[in-house]
Every structure is written in C-alpha cells, then in structure tokens.
Amino acid sequence: MTQDTRRPTVFMMDLWATVPYYTAYLSKALLKKRVNLTVGSISYYLDPGCFSNRGVKLDPGFMDVVGKFQLPRLPRRVLKLLESLLNLAALSMRFFISPPDIVHVQFLPMVTERLPLDLWFVRLCRRRGSKIVLTVHDLLPHNTGESHRQTFHDLYQMVDRIICHSESIRERLAIEFAVKEEKVAVIPHGPFFYDLPATAEQTLQSFELDPRKLLVLWQGILSPYKGIDLLLEAWQSVEASVEDARLLVVGTGPAELIEKIREQIRSLKLQRVQLHPRFISTEELVALYRAADIVVYPYRAITTSGALATGLALGKTIVASDLPVFRELLTERESAFF
C-alpha cells in the first residue's frame, strides 16, 4: 500500500486585494515552506509592487489590469467589479474541473451585497470537494451595526476551519455565532515590513518633523470605528499640559470623514495636529513608525490590526483603548498604556 505524498494545493483568496500586505506576507511565508500555493488576488493599486517585491506571483483567474493603474475612485470600483466578474467566471470553470484541496479565504468583499458572487464561488469549491479556511479580519463589517449578523453567522457555520488572532475573538465566535471551539485556530498576527531596509531621513521631509518635539502617531485607513474623534478630544488635554508634543494623523479614507476630522481640529482649536490624508509608501510608513515616540490606537472596536502588529514589531510605546483584544495582546505599563 503506497502512501500519498502529494502536497495539497492551496488557493489563497483575496480577489480584490482587500488586505494586500497580510496576503503578501502570509503567502511569502507559506511559499518558503514549499506549500503548493496559488495566490488569487489582483495587484494593489496603491502599491503595485506589494506582491512581486516579496516574490509572490498573482493568479486572479483571468486578468489583472485595473490594480496596475491609478484611477479615480468611482471608475476604479466599477472596473474592478467587472474584472472580478471575469475572474470569478474563469476560476469557477477551472475549479469545477480541478478544485484545489484548500481555499483559504481572506476577504469576501461582495458577501454583504445582493449578489454575493464570491460567496457563491466558495460554495461551489466546497461542493467540488475543497476544504474552506477563513481568516477572520473583521468579526462583523465595521460601521454597519447588526445588519449583517445572520450573513456572517451562516458563513462561519459553512466553512471548515476558522483562523483568528486572539482568544477573545475565538470566545466571541463561540458565544455570538455558535462556532464550535475545535473549529477555530488562534494564530498570532505576524509582523509587517520587517523585510524593508532602513529608510533615509529625506523620506520624512514632507512631514516636516521636528526631532526635538515628542511625536505621537496615528496611522491607518481612516474609519469611524478607529476613534480619531476620541483621540482629538483627548489631545486637547495634551496640548494644555505638554508643550513639545505633536500629533500626526496619516492615512487614506472617505472625503466626508476627512472633512469631519478637519472641522473637529478647527472647532477644538488644536494647534499641534498634522493631518496627512493620503496613502503613504511602505518606506514612509516604516520611517514614520521609527520616528514616532508613541503610537496610538483609540479604536472603538477591534478584531485584528495590522497597524498594531507594525507598532509591536518596531518596539514602539503604545497607547490603546481598553478593549479585550488589546488587553490580550498588550501588557499594561510594559508594552502599552490603556
């Protein structure tokens, strides 16, 4: 009787490049372990070299064009949807004939829409014999309340295995979504950007930083659940009591939210806050983290955080909201203040 030594085939699914750095670094690590891996993602339009620079080749199904160009938001979203439909059709035909052993789902951007084509694709793969692994990046979509709870309950019941990054999220999966404990693996969130060289000082020139002043950094994708309004309210007290402190808020986000932040800065009469509402390169990001004295995470809710993983990996002093996930990953007065 001969033993089957064939390596299982794995399809890493992040078709819209929703969590590109997570997908890239995880894929890089798996490829080093000689996993038989196909990475189903398009190029990340803000950083087209995100995957190729880490030795990861993309195979989204049929085409990868939209992510290679800088386009305005609306036409980009429309073209990305059309591209995704073609890719899903091509993958469905391919996997109907020869499904992978494992489909590892990072994100299903259509799951909350009336036509959740990506979810239907995953179900097709499951019917054809693929095992489905899901990484939980958001327990529920942020800023949507309870409107999608049943959809995600059904999703968590359907998949074969779930990966999350903290015990508190595993507990919530069991309590709120009736997921069996043995179905969930808790794996710590790995670090990002450890492979980047030390950056030159001129990288930070556009931020006009004064090395003599204490620098507090908030960095990420701007979203209401990340609590920038709470941070700005608290910053009033900092400006009143600490003369040499400066707050830097850096990240992309919706135009209406950016304007709300600007208005709050004006209404609170804050003098030492710099807002840079733009995408920053990975080189700039690492340089900013290295220059910062304190990194802040004033979140209202959290499932996992790549920004936190970056702050931890670079050994920064952290101030964070008092939330269960932060309590689990950080230690009061050792690695953070809550």
Side-chain angles (χ1 to χ4, degrees), residues 120-177:
W120 296 348
F121 166 74
V122 171
R123 286 176 173 162
L124 169 67
C125 293
R126 195 165 192 269
R127 285 196 295 269
R128 296 296 299 149
S130 299
K131 296 294 185 182
I132 309 300
V133 177
L134 172 70
T135 296
V136 177
H137 293 280
D138 296 325
L139 201 57
L140 286 172
H142 288 293
N143 310 315
T144 62
E146 298 290 303
S147 57
H148 301 299
R149 180 169 289 276
Q150 187 60 51
T151 298
F152 276 77
H153 176 277
D154 296 343
L155 173 63
Y156 296 145
Q157 297 301 318
M158 182 265 288
V159 301
D160 297 287
R161 191 77 165 164
I162 292 174
I163 294 172
C164 65
H165 299 309
S166 68
E167 288 290 344
S168 59
I169 296 302
R170 171 157 51 185
E171 291 173 5
R172 289 188 63 188
L173 283 165
I175 295 169
E176 299 178 29
F177 298 94

Side-chain angles (χ1 to χ4, degrees), residues 205-218:
Q205 286 180 354
S206 63
F207 297 97
E208 300 178 352
L209 302 181
D210 185 343
R212 297 168 298 177
K213 296 185 182 296
L214 184 141
L215 178 62
V216 179
L217 174 66
W218 185 101

Side-chain angles (χ1 to χ4, degrees), residues 54-68:
R54 292 165 181 87
V56 177
K57 183 180 179 180
L58 300 180
D59 181 7
F62 179 68
M63 62 189 302
D64 177 17
V65 176
V66 178
K68 296 179 179 179

Side-chain angles (χ1 to χ4, degrees), residues 236-254:
Q236 281 185 295
S237 300
V238 177
E239 288 202 355
S241 57
V242 184
E243 291 184 2
D244 64 347
R246 177 182 295 183
L247 172 62
L248 193 61
V249 177
V250 182
T252 58

Side-chain angles (χ1 to χ4, degrees), residues 1-2 8 15 24-25 38 61 78 90 100-101 144 158 164 183 190 192 238 250 262-263 296 307 337:
M1 182 173 174
T2 58
L15 291 180
Y25 278 99
T38 299
V78 171
D101 297 306
T144 62
M158 182 265 288
C164 65
K183 187 175 179 177
F192 292 161
V238 177
V250 182
R262 287 198 175 107
E263 177 55 36
V296 290
F337 294 94

Side-chain angles (χ1 to χ4, degrees), residues 262-279:
R262 287 198 175 107
E263 177 55 36
Q264 187 178 11
I265 293 171
R266 288 192 294 265
S267 64
L268 295 176
K269 299 180 180 178
L270 300 175
Q271 301 299 314
R272 282 176 272 140
V273 177
Q274 289 179 253
L275 174 63
H276 291 263
R278 65 174 179 86
F279 173 78

